[in-house]
């Protein structure tokens, strides 16, 4: 099949993606094959494709395409998350721009607008993933608020409530005053910022000139103070024990409480206690029975109980209160300091600690089970170092009950109905009413009020591996086939949000859904392996974000470098768990500077395409292969099979970046730079045997590379030979490693060293590549084997090194420039006098360098901590460096 002249990534990507979709290659239905399942981390319906999505979904696509090539029934389930807070904020903002207030239109009308938003924007990111080459089963696309998924979430809430795992209570919570909803601890981002400590004096009751000075960062909450606390051993405040002080401005008399909680070294060593607006103060308030005075509204403004600055925002109120404290003479000084401020992950608003009535899920037993699942190895983390982070989240001391309610309208509405102080939890209003009538006959629906709150977004997505297969419905066929899923690919930043909670759900519900016999055979875990990606960061190690302006436009990258180029660029620097330093394009007017990583990927695609053109351009004849071509073919077959063995190992170990780089070196260097040059005929004609071998090797390479760069490999696969219908690279079979001779690789490596040295000498000395030189090698058993037994070796050296002759010698020839060939000494005979003293000096310099290098390696290997804690492959690499350095030193000493 003739090759096209140029590689057009846009045309190729469009053509082959349509072809794959037309042939239903991504579609999966249960059959007799072994299933391989991935469920996508559902992106928000508010989202657009960004660098994190590109990396995460590239990795998922590699795994799913590899499984498909292995003959498994590969099922990759796509979908989106309703993202309560983020989506509601978007809709509220859009309505505000139209002059519409959420509160003016009511819940039902607002939800209509929210669903319109979802329909308009919800599928955008999934459509964009297709441009990346994602081979999801698009017929299975799910949405966390579609009817079946909604029903599942409600059913699970009722199940947990009946088991006594859910309860409603008033607790001090994190409050987002912009979104006006509670947040979990994990939804609060703590950033270090500049702040002020305001030193304010509180007069001792019954005195005119005795004061106690507190330091606070929030003077706007002074009006809610109900005590002052000091450390019981702080001598400065002993006289205040058992006394009371007067709160400035509001003149409230409050007690002074000695308590070990106080840090005597911070600020003035005296704390104002405001139970309504600080979680620690709330705990002290409960301990001492203090009054709780809430002076801040849900939208972050001062209410009537504040008495001062009423109606002002917290920020404006702070300015006003400072002014009043100065006027009253109670503000002593202002001190600058660095502090951590909690901000909402979604709105960036400063979080307000607030006492609210919420629904909670008990987490003690559930968290312990989820921790055991990972520590026992039933769920494996890659890299395994992530287990430490997971353990820190789920250790008993760190576990808190999960606040699952949110004060929003967009989401799964809590299935709880109230009649006075009584609560009735049921899947439907009719069931709730029926339950209520057992206690109060004659009640009507008008007598019940459903909870206004919705459930935390994660309360639906924690069920994702089961709910996408309708696991809570009547028909369990799909769940029994696809569950447990195989691999989860996600960022470590949602390890607790999502990964841990999915594990909890798996162990909570799987036996109930699938039966004891099934889970004993297959397991309860929702997935067997978790591959954690790192954060994508710029060259300054900053997380890429729109606000910093350091994130390249993902779609622009795809248009510029092609999907394969971007996939290569993302993955080539993406070791599991490690942050990815991505060389982001920098805007320069209307032009984007090239990203080095993606550009490298684009060039690799062109290299592959042009290599195929070169092969296809040869005239093929029936004759005996040239000796150099025959040798090179045996070598490339061995290199290919050694690489398959290596890539198989790396894939099993989830070292995908290394696997791709290994294939890159095989194709770019070994195949294109060495093999094709070795077989290239001087007369333009190639033996059919060599041609067929080249096609066969390249074809297997395309299959190996297909999961990583699917488009260019499919294109070249079809250009290599004529294909029947259905003979596509995507559904070919992953090559199996055949036996090969390691000695062949070693010997050819020595020939490559000789050629490289000859080329270097020519370049250094300005010797024309057309000028024939002689290569002489000191006779030894090794050199006899290398050059005496195989005519192809000599032919290869002459062809690749442009040598007139290659021979074995017993003594050093005149004008021979010596160099090492393995452990043998070789001489390149130059048509000029060689300064042996200068060459000896160069050799001694290299010898000293190697001795220093060896010393450093041996120092590292003598470090017991390094040997014990470093990954096995790293230690093995150091040992190989040690052995290689010792061998080279011995050879150089012999040569001297």
């Amino acid at each position: 099949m003739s090759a096209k002249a140029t590689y057009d990534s846009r045309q190729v990507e469009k053509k082959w993606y349509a072809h794959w979709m037309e042939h239903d290659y991504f579609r999966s239905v249960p059959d007799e094959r072994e299933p391989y399942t991935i469920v996508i981390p559902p992106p928000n319906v508010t989202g657009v494709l960004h660098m994190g999505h590109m990396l995460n979904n590239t990795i998922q696509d590699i795994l799913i395409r590899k499984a498909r090539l292995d003959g498994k029934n590969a099922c990759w389930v796509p979908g989106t998350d309703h993202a309560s807070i983020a989506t509601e904020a978007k809709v509220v903002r859009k309505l505000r721009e139209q002059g519409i207030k959420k509160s003016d239109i009511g819940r039902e009308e607002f939800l209509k607008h929210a669903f319109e938003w979802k329909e308009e924007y919800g599928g955008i990111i999934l459509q964009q993933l297709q441009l990346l080459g994602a081979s999801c089963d698009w017929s299975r696309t799910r949405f966390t608020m579609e009817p079946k998924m909604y029903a599942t979430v409600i059913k699970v809430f009722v199940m947990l409530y009946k088991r006594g795992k859910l309860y409603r209570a008033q607790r001090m919570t994190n409050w987002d005053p912009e979104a006006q909803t509670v947040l979990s601890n994990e939804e609060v981002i703590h950033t270090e910022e500049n702040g002020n400590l305001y030193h304010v004096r509180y007069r001792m009751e019954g005195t005119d000139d005795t004061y106690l000075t507190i330091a606070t960062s929030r003077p706007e909450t002074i009006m809610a103070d109900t005590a002052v606390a000091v450390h019981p051993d702080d001598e400065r405040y002993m006289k205040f024990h058992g006394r009371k002080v007067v709160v400035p401005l509001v003149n409230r008399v409050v007690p002074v409480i000695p308590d070990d909680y106080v840090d005597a070294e911070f600020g003035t060593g005296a704390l104002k206690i405001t139970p309504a607006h600080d979680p620690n103060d709330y705990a002290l308030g409960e301990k001492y029975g203090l009054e709780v005075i809430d002076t801040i509204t849900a939208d972050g403004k001062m209410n009537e109980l504040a008495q001062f600055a009423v109606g002002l925002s917290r920020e404006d109120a702070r300015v006003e209160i400072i002014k009043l404290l100065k006027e009253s003479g109670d503000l002593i000084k202002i001190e600058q300091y660095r502090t951590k401020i909690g901000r909402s992950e979604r709105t960036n608003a400063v979080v307000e600690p607030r006492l609210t009535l919420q629904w909670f899920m008990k987490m003690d037993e559930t968290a312990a089970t989820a921790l055991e699942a990972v520590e026992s190895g039933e769920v494996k983390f890659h890299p395994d170092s992530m287990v430490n982070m997971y353990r820190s989240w789920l250790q008993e001391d760190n576990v808190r009950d999960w606040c699952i309610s949110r004060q929003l309208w967009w989401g799964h509405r809590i299935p709880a109905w109230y009649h006075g102080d009584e609560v009735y939890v049921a899947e439907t209003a009719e069931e709730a009413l029926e339950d209520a009538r057992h206690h109060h006959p004659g009640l009507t629906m008008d007598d019940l009020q459903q909870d206004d709150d919705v459930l935390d977004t994660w309360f639906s997505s924690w069920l994702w591996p089961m709910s996408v297969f309708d696991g809570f419905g009547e028909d369990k066929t799909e769940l029994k086939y696809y569950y447990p899923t195989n691999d989860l690919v996600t960022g470590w930043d949602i390890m607790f949000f999502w990964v841990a909670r999915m594990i909890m759900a798996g162990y909570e519900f799987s036996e109930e859904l699938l039966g004891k016999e099934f889970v004993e055979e297959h397991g309860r875990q929702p997935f067997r392996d978790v591959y954690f990606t790192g954060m994508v960061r710029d060259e300054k190690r900053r997380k890429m974000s729109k606000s910093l302006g350091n994130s390249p436009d993902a779609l622009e990258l795809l248009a510029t470098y092609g999907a394969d180029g971007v996939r290569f660029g993302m993955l080539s620097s993406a070791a599991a768990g490690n942050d990815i330093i991505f060389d982001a394009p920098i805007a320069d007017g209307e032009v984007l500077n090239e990203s080095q990583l993606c550009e490298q990927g684009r060039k690799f695609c062109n290299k592959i395409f042009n290599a195929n053109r070169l092969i296809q351009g040869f005239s093929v004849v029936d004759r005996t292969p040239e000796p150099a071509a025959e040798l090179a073919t045996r070598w490339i077959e061995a290199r290919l099979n050694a690489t398959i063995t290596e890539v198989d190992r790396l894939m099993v170990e989830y070292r995908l970046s290394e696997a791709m780089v290994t294939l890159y070196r095989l194709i770019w260097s070994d195949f294109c730079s060495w093999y094709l040059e070795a077989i290239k005929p001087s007369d333009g004609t190639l033996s059919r045997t060599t041609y067929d071998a080249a096609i066969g090797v390249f074809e297997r390479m395309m299959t190996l590379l297909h999961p990583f760069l699917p488009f260019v490999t499919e294109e070249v696969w079809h250009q290599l030979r004529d294909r029947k219908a259905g003979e596509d690279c995507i559904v070919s079979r992953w090559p199996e490693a055949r036996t090969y001779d390691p000695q062949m690789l070693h010997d050819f490596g020595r020939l490559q060293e000789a050629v490289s040295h000859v080329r270097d000498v020519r370049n250094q000395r300005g010797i024309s590549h057309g000028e024939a030189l002689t290569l002489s090698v000191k006779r030894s058993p090794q050199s006899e084997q290398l050059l005496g037994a195989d005519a192809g070796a000599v032919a290869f050296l002459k062809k690749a090194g442009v040598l007139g002759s290659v021979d074995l010698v017993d003594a050093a020839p005149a004008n021979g420039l010596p160099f090492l060939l393995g452990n043998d000494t070789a001489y390149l005979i130059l048509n000029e006098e060689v300064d042996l003293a200068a060459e000896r000096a160069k050799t001694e310099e290299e010898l000293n360098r190697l001795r220093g290098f060896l010393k450093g390696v041996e120092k590292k290997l003598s470090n017991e901590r390094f040997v014990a804690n470093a990954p096995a492959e790293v230690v093995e690499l150091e040992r190989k460096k040690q052995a290689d350095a010792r061998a080279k030193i011995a050879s150089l000493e012999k040569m001297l």
Side-chain angles (χ1 to χ4, degrees):
M1 186 175 180
S2 61
K4 294 183 179 179
T6 58
Y7 182 66
D8 182 345
S9 62
R10 291 192 185 191
Q11 183 271 332
V12 166
E13 290 162 15
K14 184 178 180 180
K15 175 180 70 175
W16 287 118
Y17 203 88
H19 177 82
W20 296 330
M21 291 284 286
E22 181 185 347
H23 286 75
D24 263 351
Y25 286 142
F26 307 160
R27 184 85 172 97
S28 174
V29 294
D31 59 24
E32 72 285 351
R33 291 176 294 168
E34 176 187 349
Y36 175 85
T37 315
I38 292 178
V39 293
I40 198 171
N44 295 349
V45 292
T46 60
V48 293
L49 195 64
H50 60 62
M51 304 310 294
H53 292 132
M54 301 256 274
L55 172 64
N56 187 291
N57 287 280
T58 292
I59 292 170
Q60 290 177 81
D61 196 46
I62 290 168
L63 295 172
I64 212 79
R65 287 179 183 270
K66 170 63 164 61
R68 201 177 282 125
L69 292 170
D70 285 336
K72 297 176 183 176
N73 189 347
C75 179
W76 183 9
V77 182
T80 50
D81 189 278
H82 64 284
S84 289
I85 298 177
T87 304
E88 182 150 326
K90 293 273 189 182
V91 177
V92 167
R93 193 173 301 122
K94 181 181 179 182
L95 291 174
R96 189 183 300 140
E97 291 170 357
Q98 299 172 8
I100 302 172
K101 278 186 174 183
K102 169 187 167 182
S103 57
D104 291 342
I105 61 176
R107 188 184 200 109
E108 296 306 316
E109 187 65 24
F110 177 81
L111 288 177
K112 289 180 183 178
H113 287 282
F115 273 107
E116 287 174 4
W117 171 280
K118 181 264 175 186
E119 289 303 314
E120 184 174 356
Y121 298 103
I124 289 178
I125 194 168
L126 297 183
Q127 294 166 10
Q128 292 171 343
L129 286 177
Q130 295 182 15
L131 300 177
L132 187 65
S135 56
C136 301
D137 183 350
W138 299 109
S139 68
R140 290 183 173 275
T141 302
R142 308 304 297 265
F143 172 52
T144 51
M145 273 180 59
E146 67 183 68
K148 279 188 177 180
M149 304 284 270
Y150 198 110
T152 291
V153 173
I154 300 306
K155 182 189 288 287
V156 166
F157 184 96
V158 175
M159 291 167 66
L160 291 172
Y161 181 79
K162 290 180 178 179
R163 294 174 188 175
K165 295 199 171 185
L166 302 184
Y167 64 93
R168 193 174 187 231
Q170 196 165 32
R171 294 279 188 275
M172 180 61 70
T173 54
N174 302 303
W175 185 263
D176 182 336
E178 184 172 327
Q180 293 192 46
T181 180
V182 69
L183 303 173
S184 69
N185 289 339
E186 295 74 39
E187 291 170 307
V188 179
I189 306 301
H190 293 276
T191 57
E192 195 169 272
E193 302 179 21
N194 290 323
N196 291 326
L197 274 179
Y198 300 90
H199 292 247
V200 182
R201 66 180 188 175
Y202 287 53
R203 179 175 55 82
M204 182 189 290
E205 183 188 27
T207 69
D208 293 326
D209 56 359
T210 304
Y211 294 92
L212 177 153
T213 301
I214 62 95
T216 180
S217 60
R218 302 196 63 193
E220 71 276 10
T221 65
I222 279 176
M223 295 81 75
D225 289 353
T226 56
V228 170
V230 297
H231 195 280
D233 299 330
D234 191 336
E235 294 183 358
R236 293 174 294 176
Y237 303 117
M238 292 287 190
K239 63 184 177 181
F240 287 92
H241 292 190
R243 302 297 296 272
K244 294 183 178 181
V245 293
V246 180
V247 179
L249 302 184
V250 293
N251 296 320
R252 181 182 303 115
V253 177
V254 300
V256 177
I257 300 171
D259 194 278
D260 291 338
Y261 164 74
V262 179
D263 179 1
E265 301 301 320
F266 179 77
T268 65
L271 298 180
K272 61 191 284 298
I273 305 302
T274 318
H277 301 300
D278 183 279
N280 297 314
D281 290 6
Y282 180 74
L284 279 176
E286 285 193 315
K287 181 176 179 181
Y288 294 104
L290 301 178
E291 182 183 4
V292 178
I293 304 173
D294 187 349
T295 58
I296 299 178
T297 62
D299 59 352
K301 295 178 180 177
M302 309 308 292
N303 64 25
E304 297 294 335
L305 292 178
Q307 302 180 48
F308 296 88
V310 175
L312 295 183
S313 68
R314 293 170 298 171
E315 295 76 16
D316 291 342
R318 181 174 301 174
V319 174
E320 176 66 16
I321 298 304
I322 291 169
K323 175 185 173 184
L324 293 174
L325 289 171
K326 285 181 179 178
E327 291 175 354
S328 68
D330 292 312
L331 181 64
I332 305 304
K333 68 174 181 176
I334 301 175
E335 177 186 1
Q336 293 184 341
Y337 80 126
R338 293 285 285 176
T339 185
K340 286 192 173 181
I341 302 293
R343 291 184 177 274
S344 168
E345 181 188 37
R346 294 300 180 190
T347 66
N348 201 43
V350 175
V351 169
E352 181 65 44
R354 195 161 186 256
L355 197 61
T356 58
L357 184 62
Q358 305 290 344
W359 281 92
F360 295 87
M361 177 175 170
K362 296 177 182 178
M363 295 290 282
D364 47 0
E365 293 180 6
T366 311
T369 302
L371 179 58
E372 170 62 20
V374 172
E375 291 188 325
S376 68
E378 287 183 304
V379 178
K380 295 183 174 64
F381 282 3
H382 307 276
D384 58 10
S385 60
M386 288 293 169
V387 174
N388 294 329
M389 183 186 295
Y390 183 81
R391 185 183 296 114
S392 71
W393 276 108
L394 294 180
Q395 283 178 333
E396 185 177 353
D397 292 344
N398 292 333
V399 173
R400 299 290 182 271
D401 285 352
W402 177 10
C403 179
I404 59 174
S405 50
R406 297 292 184 271
Q407 287 63 57
L408 302 165
W409 286 349
W410 175 247
H412 304 83
R413 192 170 181 181
I414 291 175
W417 283 261
Y418 304 102
H419 177 66
D421 294 332
E422 298 170 353
V423 59
Y424 300 96
V425 172
E427 292 184 40
T428 66
E430 290 74 20
E431 292 176 7
L433 179 60
E434 183 180 349
D435 189 10
R437 281 175 173 168
H438 284 111
H439 303 86
H440 305 281
L443 285 183
T444 67
M445 194 62 73
D446 291 338
D447 297 316
L448 297 182
Q449 175 64 45
Q450 186 177 358
D451 200 309
D452 281 328
D453 293 350
V454 300
L455 289 161
D456 178 14
T457 293
W458 302 102
F459 195 83
S460 55
S461 53
W462 78 316
L463 306 172
W464 191 246
M466 291 179 284
S467 61
V468 295
F469 299 114
D470 295 329
F472 290 82
E474 294 298 321
D475 188 352
K476 300 294 192 296
T477 303
E478 290 213 333
L479 186 65
K480 286 188 174 182
Y481 183 75
Y482 292 113
Y483 191 92
T485 66
N486 294 78
D487 293 307
L488 176 73
V489 180
T490 187
W492 55 259
D493 55 322
I494 56 173
M495 180 186 292
F496 184 74
F497 274 131
W498 193 45
V499 178
R501 287 171 179 164
M502 281 191 290
I503 295 172
M504 293 174 191
Y507 283 82
E508 179 74 29
F509 302 112
S510 57
E511 182 173 331
E512 182 175 358
L513 298 176
L514 296 165
K516 186 175 182 179
E517 184 178 339
F518 179 93
V519 298
E520 285 179 351
E521 180 180 354
H522 300 283
R524 290 178 169 82
Q525 65 273 38
F527 28 74
R528 296 185 176 92
D529 294 273
V530 183
Y531 181 107
F532 287 104
T533 64
M535 294 291 102
V536 183
R537 302 184 185 276
D538 65 14
E539 68 281 359
K540 296 179 181 178
R541 302 195 69 84
R542 300 176 301 176
K543 182 178 178 180
M544 287 188 171
S545 68
K546 290 181 181 178
S547 60
L548 286 176
N550 63 343
S551 179
D553 185 318
L555 298 180
E556 180 67 31
L557 279 179
L558 289 169
T560 304
Y561 302 108
D564 288 334
V566 173
R567 289 166 70 112
F568 180 95
M570 292 298 301
L571 195 67
S572 58
S573 59
N578 294 342
D579 286 349
I580 293 89
I581 309 304
F582 190 80
D583 177 24
I586 303 170
D588 181 16
E590 296 297 318
V591 181
L592 288 176
N593 292 336
E594 291 181 344
S595 164
Q596 296 176 351
L597 294 172
C598 293
E599 174 64 8
Q600 187 178 1
R602 188 186 67 80
K603 288 180 178 178
F604 186 33
C605 292
N606 289 334
K607 186 82 168 180
I608 293 168
F609 188 80
N610 289 329
N612 177 53
R613 287 186 61 211
L614 178 64
I615 297 171
Q616 302 284 347
F618 295 145
S619 296
V620 182
V621 296
D622 292 320
R623 60 173 171 79
T624 302
E626 294 180 356
E630 195 276 333
L631 171 70
T633 297
R634 284 190 285 124
W635 165 73
I636 198 64
E637 284 278 4
R639 277 291 298 121
L640 173 59
N641 287 301
T643 300
I644 293 172
T645 301
E646 175 69 1
V647 169
D648 282 344
R649 180 183 67 83
L650 292 171
M651 294 291 279
V652 168
E653 296 174 359
Y654 293 86
R655 294 161 64 183
L656 306 186
S657 178
E658 293 175 58
M660 190 193 68
V661 171
T662 298
L663 291 172
Y664 169 81
R665 291 171 180 159
L666 171 72
I667 295 170
W668 187 292
S669 178
D670 295 330
F671 186 78
C672 295
S673 298
W674 287 100
Y675 177 67
L676 291 185
E677 288 300 314
I679 69 171
K680 187 189 296 184
S682 56
D683 61 358
T685 62
L686 193 67
S687 77
R688 183 164 299 281
T689 301
T690 302
Y691 175 81
D692 289 344
I695 293 293
V697 166
F698 204 33
E699 185 177 58
R700 292 166 74 196
M701 289 179 179
M702 291 302 95
T703 305
L704 289 169
L705 190 62
H706 178 78
F708 302 90
L709 308 183
F711 292 108
V712 69
T713 52
E714 189 73 81
E715 175 72 11
V716 170
W717 164 273
H718 281 269
Q719 290 189 15
L720 286 171
R721 61 174 96 236
D722 291 329
R723 307 286 181 185
K724 297 177 184 177
E727 284 187 347
D728 293 306
C729 188
I730 187 176
V731 288
S732 58
R733 292 309 296 264
W734 183 262
E736 293 185 6
R738 303 165 186 167
T739 57
Y740 63 94
D741 181 8
Q743 186 63 42
M744 174 72 203
L745 298 178
H746 177 269
D747 290 345
F748 198 87
R750 292 176 66 196
L751 297 178
Q752 289 175 299
E753 287 179 17
V755 170
S756 296
H757 186 80
V758 172
R759 289 173 177 172
D760 288 344
V761 171
R762 285 183 181 275
N763 291 332
Q764 292 167 5
R765 295 175 178 259
I767 301 173
S768 166
H769 287 274
E771 181 180 341
L773 301 176
T774 295
L775 179 66
S776 297
V777 182
K778 202 81 173 284
R779 192 182 305 278
S780 73
Q782 292 78 18
S783 62
E784 287 275 7
Q785 177 184 338
L786 183 65
L787 298 175
D790 195 334
V794 173
F796 173 81
L797 286 174
K798 287 184 177 181
K799 182 182 180 72
V802 193
L803 299 170
S805 62
V806 180
D807 54 21
L808 296 171
V809 296
D810 295 306
N815 280 342
L817 186 64
F819 67 95
L820 282 179
L821 182 55
N823 290 328
D824 295 317
T825 303
Y827 303 89
L828 186 60
I829 312 302
L830 304 180
N831 300 322
E832 60 184 75
E833 187 174 347
V834 176
D835 185 347
L836 290 179
E839 298 303 324
R840 182 182 181 87
K842 289 181 184 178
T843 303
E844 288 177 335
E845 182 180 351
E846 175 64 9
L847 189 58
N848 289 332
R849 186 194 69 80
L850 280 171
R851 285 170 177 161
F853 174 78
L854 177 61
K855 186 177 180 180
V857 172
E858 290 180 335
K859 181 179 180 182
K860 187 179 290 186
L861 288 172
S862 66
N863 185 330
E864 294 181 4
R865 180 177 297 179
F866 168 77
V867 175
N869 297 326
E873 60 269 18
V874 173
V875 177
E876 185 57 34
L877 178 62
E878 292 301 315
R879 286 178 176 148
K880 185 178 184 304
K881 289 179 184 178
Q882 181 188 48
D884 290 346
R886 285 174 174 173
K888 288 180 180 179
I889 287 171
S891 297
L892 286 173
E893 289 173 341
K894 178 181 176 184
M895 194 168 81
L896 281 175

